[in-house]
Amino acid sequence: EMKSTTADFSDLITSDDKIVINECLNNLADDERQIIILRVVSDLKFKDIADIMNIRPSTVASKYSRAVKKLKLSLTEGGVHFE
C-alpha cells in the first residue's frame, strides 16, 4: 500500500470553517477562484494555469497574489484563523 505524500488536513477544519471557506471562495471573481483552485488544490504551476486559461504566466501570478490577499482578509473577517 502506497501512502500519499499529500497531507489531508480536512479533518482539522471544522464544518463551520468549511462553510466560511466556501463562501469566501465564492466571493472571489471567477478567474481568481479558478486560479486559486488550480494552484492550491491541483498543485499546478503558473505556466500550466496560464496555458489552461490562455493568459500570460505573469498575469496568473499577479491575479493569484491579489486573490490570496482577498481570501486571507475574507477568511480572517469570517473568523477562520491560520498561520
Side-chain angles (χ1 to χ4, degrees), residues 16-27:
D16 285 346
D17 283 353
K18 287 178 185 176
I19 291 168
V20 172
I21 291 167
N22 266 333
E23 287 174 356
C24 292
L25 279 170
N26 286 331
N27 287 336

Side-chain angles (χ1 to χ4, degrees), residues 3-21:
K3 290 189 176 185
S4 173
T5 56
T6 305
D8 181 6
F9 297 106
S10 60
D11 57 334
L12 301 176
I13 302 172
T14 68
S15 59
D16 285 346
D17 283 353
K18 287 178 185 176
I19 291 168
V20 172
I21 291 167

Side-chain angles (χ1 to χ4, degrees), residues 31-32 35 46-47 49-50 53-67:
D31 59 340
E32 292 172 334
I35 289 169
F46 289 151
K47 184 193 180 322
I49 297 169
M53 297 180 70
N54 199 28
I55 56 177
R56 294 189 316 262
S58 60
T59 303
V60 173
S62 63
K63 285 179 178 279
Y64 177 78
S65 178
R66 259 192 312 269

Side-chain angles (χ1 to χ4, degrees), residues 37-57:
I37 291 170
L38 290 171
R39 178 74 173 160
V40 176
V41 177
S42 299
D43 199 28
L44 295 179
K45 295 179 177 9
F46 289 151
K47 184 193 180 322
D48 297 328
I49 297 169
D51 290 344
I52 290 168
M53 297 180 70
N54 199 28
I55 56 177
R56 294 189 316 262

